[in-house]
Amino acid sequence: MTPITRSGLRLGLFWLLAGVFLAGLAESSWLNSYQVRPVWIHMLVLGWMTQWIFAISLWMFPRSKDGYRKRESLRTWSMLVCWNTALFARVLFEVEIVETAPAIRQIILGIAVLLFWIASVLYVIEIWPRVRVKKKMKRARHKGANR
Amino acid sequence: MNRVSVWMIRLALIWFLITVFTGGCLLLAKAGTLSIHLVPFISIHITTAMAGWMVGMILGTGLWMFPRSIRADGRHVRLDGWWQPALVHGGTALWIVGLLLGSHAWIGMILWVAGVSGMIPIFWIRSRKLNPA
């Protein structure tokens, strides 16, 4: 398993634990469950499920150029950092866990949205060429052997 | 990777981009930065996320990874074709169009359910105990 996959899976486990914990708290009388619901749902869906899909696809899908390269690119690390930073900002500021002026909240959530978009585009750019028909892989390997 | 899985996963990636875009718009609206009519956006966001992205990605990857079933005569059991993935993604697209138009979203939903139901026998047969020989 590559370092990026390990990091993605472990961050996913952190979000799973945090999401389940918050869901439990939301059901108690300590928090406003209606207000907190989108936060824990996104912790589970974006933090755990989607991040596990990212991590496992980066590990399993065949690599494009040199098939045996084990190190991940800067792009995939940036993707992981952007995704988790955005989610963290969202969790803190979506329901005003941290009290701030509305203008600052708008800016932080705007940055979070931008980071989500950047991360998702980076993921698609990374994974798209790796989703391909097997015949092309064989041809590419054959060409490499002939060089 | 087989051709059906490739297209299923690629279409799921497109749904993923749409999901993140609509989700971002919703968050901006919640923060008060953007003014949009939230109700259809929420439905589109949830439908693309669950029906298009998650289901498409998981079923597409499963089609690639699960071992193919082989009959006693050594031939592959061929249940998988193009119609199930086409119904899953086409159904999702029609479902979204219906949500945007505000009517007939059920047509897309039924097609999507038919596509997912059509894939269940494939995975049922292919999820089996490995032959010890």
Side-chain angles (χ1 to χ4, degrees):
Chain A
M1 205 175 274
T2 57
I4 189 118
T5 299
R6 279 202 302 273
S7 307
L9 292 178
R10 286 174 182 171
L11 283 164
L13 287 174
F14 162 76
W15 286 116
L16 171 65
L17 187 67
V20 169
F21 189 71
L22 190 65
L25 275 182
E27 288 308 310
S28 69
S29 54
W30 296 355
L31 289 169
N32 181 346
S33 68
Y34 179 75
Q35 216 182 3
V36 170
R37 191 174 296 152
V39 179
W40 67 258
I41 288 176
H42 281 108
M43 280 167 132
L44 295 179
V45 175
L46 300 180
W48 174 51
M49 289 185 200
T50 305
Q51 196 148 233
W52 269 40
I53 292 177
F54 286 169
I56 290 171
S57 61
L58 285 171
W59 173 40
M60 296 193 64
F61 285 7
R63 282 151 204 279
S64 52
K65 286 174 187 167
D66 44 350
Y68 301 102
R69 183 170 58 94
K70 288 289 175 197
R71 277 191 307 167
E72 296 297 340
S73 62
L74 183 67
R75 188 167 52 206
T76 48
W77 283 108
S78 312
M79 181 270 290
L80 206 68
V81 170
C82 285
W83 191 262
N84 285 283
T85 311
L87 189 55
F88 196 65
R90 181 184 187 144
V91 166
L92 287 183
F93 291 93
E94 188 177 1
V95 288
E96 296 179 81
I97 291 173
V98 180
E99 278 188 29
T100 45
I104 294 173
R105 183 171 170 258
Q106 277 187 353
I107 292 168
I108 291 172
L109 287 179
I111 292 169
V113 167
L114 195 65
L115 289 176
F116 272 129
W117 286 344
I118 291 170
S120 53
V121 170
L122 288 176
Y123 171 69
V124 172
I125 290 172
E126 174 68 29
I127 218 74
W128 191 277
R130 289 165 66 166
V131 179
R132 64 196 192 281
V133 181
K134 205 176 179 182
K135 276 179 188 171
K136 285 183 184 170
M137 284 164 58
K138 278 184 181 170
R139 254 184 243 150
R141 256 186 232 150
H142 187 68
K143 273 183 190 171
N146 285 344
R147 267 178 207 164
Chain B
M1 203 177 277
N2 60 68
R3 207 172 285 274
V4 179
S5 292
V6 167
W7 284 104
M8 196 141 190
I9 294 169
R10 283 183 178 175
L11 287 169
L13 289 173
I14 292 169
W15 289 124
F16 170 65
L17 289 177
I18 296 170
T19 301
V20 178
F21 177 75
T22 51
C25 291
L26 284 167
L27 191 57
L28 289 177
K30 203 170 184 180
T33 315
L34 197 70
S35 178
I36 51 168
H37 190 41
L38 287 178
V39 177
F41 252 79
I42 292 173
S43 308
I44 290 166
H45 177 62
I46 294 171
T47 308
T48 51
M50 293 300 162
W53 158 237
M54 294 266 179
V55 171
M57 186 75 175
I58 292 168
L59 293 183
T61 308
L63 272 182
W64 168 48
M65 290 186 60
F66 279 35
R68 290 192 177 275
S69 286
I70 299 169
R71 289 190 198 134
D73 59 1
R75 293 172 69 183
H76 287 296
V77 180
R78 287 200 63 87
L79 278 172
D80 44 327
W82 282 92
W83 69 270
Q84 301 99 331
L87 280 179
V88 169
H89 286 299
T92 310
L94 280 178
W95 193 348
I96 302 298
V97 171
L99 289 171
L100 284 170
L101 295 174
S103 67
H104 294 89
W106 57 270
I107 297 173
M109 196 195 288
I110 287 173
L111 292 177
W112 179 80
V113 170
V116 173
S117 308
M119 294 197 92
I120 287 170
I122 301 170
F123 287 103
W124 191 272
I125 288 176
R126 287 169 68 173
S127 53
R128 68 193 194 283
K129 204 167 92 175
L130 284 172
N131 188 353

